[in-house]
Amino acid sequence: MNYDDALDIALGRLHQEGRYRTFIDIERRKGQFPHAVWKKPDGSEQEITVWCGNDYLGMGQHPVVLAAMHEALDATGAGSGGTRNISGTTIYHKALEAELADLHGKETALVFTSAYIANDATLSTLPVLFPGLIIYSDSLNHASMIEGIRRNGGAKRIFKHNDLADLRAKLEADDPAAPKLIAFESVYSMDGDFGRIEEIVDLAEEFGALTYLDEVHAVGMYGPRGGGLSEALGIADRIDIINGTLGKAFGVMGGYIAASAKMCDAVRSYAPGFIFTTSIPPAVAAGAAASVRHLKTDQALRDLQQERAAVLKLRLKGLGLPIIDHGSHIVPVIVGDPVHTKAISDMLLADFGIYVQPINYPTVPRGTERLRFTPSPVHDPKSIDALVNAMDALWSHCALNRAELSA
């Protein structure tokens, strides 16, 4: 076999379909986010505004976070020195897990190198802990959840997105005595819609199923202390396992689960993805803990983020652009064609200094390709004006459809 030819064919297919992914080199500068510098391939530089980041609240450059990281770095050095089981558990890791357990009202928490690993490692381990486990998974769950469920070798049922009738039918069709778990999300990041958390928890309790809630796009953002939608709804205590990230609203890096002490102990003891992975650096753990602690009291930052998102949605709707608005902080604008999506993204960057990554298949279904904007508290009115004006000009330039505007 000619391996180079095979790689050319695989990559060529992506180019032909208009969904080959390109990255740009960005230099973030402390205190200036969301403004950054694009380091072009030719060596030149261009000032840009980042509109597609997951640092939803700008905590990645917050003084409280940076101070905690500097202090831990000076005190301990760079790396953790090992896995959690072999010398890689420090006072900073334990302090972070205590903050996260408190955030969600759980007995304890378990920190992983990413929320992807937390999902994959936990969901692939649960059938080992509960032989015969059946996992019921929402059809739009994160890739990390899908991978973890796929790898565990146990029984799985995929229910239609947010479809309680379909979920109930699948629960009713299985052996009442079989152990069960329902895996779902609070905020689905591509459309920005909310999971039907209360109703799913009710069903789980009716059928004796455990619940696994992915809150990665909600922690820090919702609830009186940033505990996510489960906290905002007052039902976190009814959810068995909560998954979250430290790399989005908390602005640092890492992922975690929060659950009972016994559940975390079992996952810690059996999950290869936890056992054999070097733990996050102490300085990262310290910064994450500081961010979690700060956001438990900074409701003003959450309110400002929601205000900026609402303003952007209102103005894009006013132009007749096809946005999806489910009331969350995520602002998807549907283009519907991978080539056009990439072209608009490229023009926004080159001509207007606005960086938003195109979202194409397989991340979203074909025909729903989009630009996904994530406004933050530090996207000021001037930045919003620039984005809205650029989108208006490019939508006309590309002759894309607009919604009928009422008189």
Side-chain angles (χ1 to χ4, degrees), residues 120-389:
D120 184 19
T122 304
L123 288 167
S124 62
T125 298
L126 290 175
V128 177
L129 305 175
F130 307 107
L133 180 70
I134 303 171
I135 297 183
Y136 304 80
S137 176
D138 188 287
S139 62
L140 293 188
N141 275 342
H142 277 127
S144 55
M145 300 173 76
I146 294 169
E147 181 64 14
I149 294 168
R150 183 191 67 79
R151 285 200 314 107
N152 68 34
K156 65 178 182 293
R157 313 282 186 260
I158 310 302
F159 63 92
K160 298 174 185 175
H161 177 53
N162 269 345
D163 190 326
L164 297 175
D166 189 41
L167 174 56
R168 173 179 284 279
K170 287 177 167 54
L171 287 163
E172 289 176 338
D174 284 318
D175 181 357
K180 301 174 177 66
L181 178 139
I182 304 172
F184 60 109
E185 298 182 32
S186 59
V187 178
Y188 290 85
S189 62
M190 287 302 109
D191 285 350
D193 60 325
F194 299 115
R196 300 178 67 176
I197 302 175
E198 288 182 285
E199 297 97 324
I200 290 176
V201 170
D202 288 341
L203 271 179
E205 291 173 350
E206 179 183 344
F207 285 89
L210 296 170
T211 44
Y212 186 102
L213 177 63
D214 181 310
E215 287 257 40
V216 300
H217 289 280
V219 289
M221 304 292 294
Y222 300 92
R225 300 196 311 152
L229 281 179
S230 57
E231 184 197 27
L233 295 169
I235 61 170
D237 60 313
R238 296 171 61 196
I239 295 165
D240 296 291
I241 305 172
I242 294 175
N243 166 273
T245 184
L246 304 168
K248 292 183 171 60
F250 293 126
V252 192
M253 176 193 172
Y256 63 90
I257 60 168
S260 69
K262 193 174 294 185
M263 180 72 76
C264 287
D265 192 24
V267 172
R268 175 190 70 83
S269 301
Y270 279 87
F274 180 86
I275 295 170
F276 299 108
T277 300
T278 300
S279 62
I280 62 175
V284 171
S291 184
V292 173
R293 192 179 308 117
H294 177 86
L295 286 176
K296 288 177 180 177
T297 61
D298 197 345
Q299 184 60 38
L301 200 58
R302 282 187 280 276
D303 291 342
L304 183 56
Q305 193 284 329
Q306 291 290 333
E307 176 189 308
R308 295 281 157 83
V311 168
L312 179 60
K313 291 177 191 176
L314 185 64
R315 294 194 60 186
L316 292 176
K317 285 179 183 177
L319 296 175
L321 301 193
I323 80 165
I324 300 175
D325 184 5
H326 290 289
S328 75
H329 59 285
I330 294 168
V331 186
V333 180
I334 302 298
V335 180
D337 174 86
V339 175
H340 285 152
T341 307
K342 179 68 165 58
I344 293 176
S345 172
D346 288 346
M347 288 186 283
L348 281 170
L349 182 63
D351 299 339
F352 298 93
I354 291 171
Y355 173 49
V356 57
Q357 193 74 5
I359 307 293
N360 294 326
Y361 175 84
T363 307
V364 295
R366 296 182 193 276
T368 70
E369 292 83 2
R370 66 198 63 186
L371 301 172
R372 175 182 172 273
F373 298 99
T374 52
S376 74
V378 289
H379 284 94
D380 59 21
K382 183 178 178 181
S383 297
I384 294 176
D385 285 343
L387 172 61
V388 170
N389 292 336

Side-chain angles (χ1 to χ4, degrees), residues 25 37-46:
D25 296 333
V37 175
W38 171 27
K39 302 283 190 175
K40 297 183 181 181
D42 63 6
S44 64
E45 298 181 352
Q46 180 178 336

Side-chain angles (χ1 to χ4, degrees), residues 67-110:
M69 295 186 74
H70 278 296
E71 181 180 344
L73 183 65
D74 291 339
T76 68
S80 68
T83 66
R84 287 293 298 274
N85 297 304
I86 305 176
S87 81
T89 295
T90 70
I91 58 172
Y92 299 98
H93 296 86
K94 299 304 291 183
L96 172 57
E97 288 174 341
E99 287 288 351
L100 293 167
D102 173 75
L103 177 67
H104 295 292
K106 299 299 183 187
E107 290 180 338
T108 191
L110 199 60

